[in-house]
Amino acid sequence: MEDNVPLERLARRLEEVVGELRGLPVDVERLEDSSAVRQRIAAAAREARELRAMHPVGSPDTGRQEQRSRREVLDALERGVTMRTIVHASVLDDPHKAARIRQLHAAGDLHRVVDEPIQQVLVFNRAVAFLRLTPVAYAPGALVIRQQSLVSALIDLFERTWAAARDVTEPAHRLTAREREVLALIAEGRSNGAVARELSITEAAVGKHVAGVFAKLEIPASADVNRRVLAVLAYLRGAVR
């Protein structure tokens, strides 16, 4: 949990810096029109060698638009573009979006997952960044940032978030933050009582979280296996990066 504090501070400072620079003669352009934003992003993507992306929600595109977007990403990977993407865990609740993310991850657009709120950001080639004007899903408009101090701050935010995130293939990606805390303590050999004391919650609450872990990791009750051991093994396989 401590890792989130520097991220929150950096995000707040980034917002403060952007606010201070608005209206000043720096290389930050405000685009209100979503079609203009898409055109600029497409132009940057054609020249890209490297892309860092953070998405708080999945793409709203469906049907042909979604297929075209996926094809563009796959074509970029074939050209040798390095791509890393951070998504909010809620995106994986949609089976269609989850399948798309895993396909792109397997193709080379590496994905990691976070539970904390994130803002939509794209950074191309360490040279230009696109930052959504307001942190609301599908809100129109973006800041086009070429000011190197701000681009560097966005890259720093991305890298810190990436380091704290978990791989999209991690088995425990569907667990809540509290469930992962409980599972991490179980992995240390703690009993339910010890977990309850550590987290300052009741032992009954720990039992509910443990049951949730078993259900989400699809570990059925059986006389032949120890479900706590299987849950810990799944956690360790996903957590060791």
Side-chain angles (χ1 to χ4, degrees):
M1 297 299 290
E2 294 179 357
D3 291 341
N4 295 335
V5 174
L7 292 180
E8 293 172 359
R9 289 176 180 168
L10 182 60
R12 285 197 299 270
R13 180 54 189 152
L14 179 62
E15 291 175 358
E16 291 171 1
V17 170
V18 171
E20 292 166 1
L21 290 175
R22 284 175 185 166
L24 297 178
V26 296
D27 206 351
V28 178
E29 181 181 2
R30 184 185 181 103
L31 296 179
E32 303 283 355
D33 182 59
S34 294
S35 62
V37 174
R38 287 193 295 269
Q39 290 173 5
R40 291 289 191 89
I41 291 175
R46 286 193 292 270
E47 303 297 325
R49 301 178 305 280
E50 180 183 64
L51 171 62
R52 294 172 174 85
M54 294 201 300
H55 295 297
V57 293
S59 169
D61 297 338
T62 57
R64 292 182 179 178
Q65 285 184 324
E66 192 277 335
Q67 292 176 6
R68 183 168 61 249
S69 173
R70 185 185 311 196
R71 185 68 261 167
E72 288 172 352
V73 172
L74 294 175
D75 288 345
L77 291 169
E78 289 179 2
R79 294 197 308 271
V81 179
T82 299
M83 306 176 87
R84 287 185 292 156
T85 302
I86 299 169
V87 297
H88 190 266
S90 61
V91 176
L92 298 179
D93 292 337
D94 183 320
H96 180 73
K97 292 176 181 177
R100 178 179 187 271
I101 285 171
R102 292 194 178 92
Q103 180 192 20
L104 295 177
H105 180 80
D109 178 7
L110 302 182
H111 281 67
R112 285 192 177 182
V113 183
V114 295
D115 298 293
E116 297 72 31
I118 54 176
Q119 192 164 347
Q120 186 158 23
V121 178
L122 302 174
V123 183
F124 293 94
N125 295 346
R126 296 178 174 267
V128 59
F130 296 83
L131 176 66
R132 188 181 292 280
L133 284 177
T134 56
V136 178
Y138 313 132
L143 293 177
V144 184
I145 302 170
R146 295 184 183 275
Q147 186 78 16
Q148 281 305 298
S149 59
L150 288 178
V151 173
S152 295
L154 285 169
I155 290 174
D156 192 16
L157 173 63
F158 177 92
E159 294 298 345
R160 289 172 180 267
T161 306
W162 180 267
R166 59 192 184 278
D167 194 280
V168 72
T169 60
E170 180 180 325
H173 71 264
R174 290 164 292 179
L175 304 186
T176 65
R178 178 63 86 187
E179 286 168 342
R180 284 196 305 279
E181 284 182 318
V182 168
L183 186 51
L185 290 170
I186 290 174
E188 295 177 1
R190 310 281 188 98
S191 66
N192 282 10
V195 172
R197 290 189 294 275
E198 177 69 22
L199 298 179
S200 299
I201 58 179
T202 67
E203 193 166 343
V206 173
K208 288 181 63 176
H209 291 311
V210 170
V213 169
F214 293 157
K216 291 180 179 180
L217 295 183
E218 300 178 353
I219 303 175
S222 171
D224 298 325
V225 299
N226 186 314
R227 291 201 290 175
R228 290 172 75 93
V229 172
L230 292 181
V232 167
L233 289 174
Y235 169 79
L236 293 176
R237 284 196 298 269
V240 176
R241 299 197 270 266

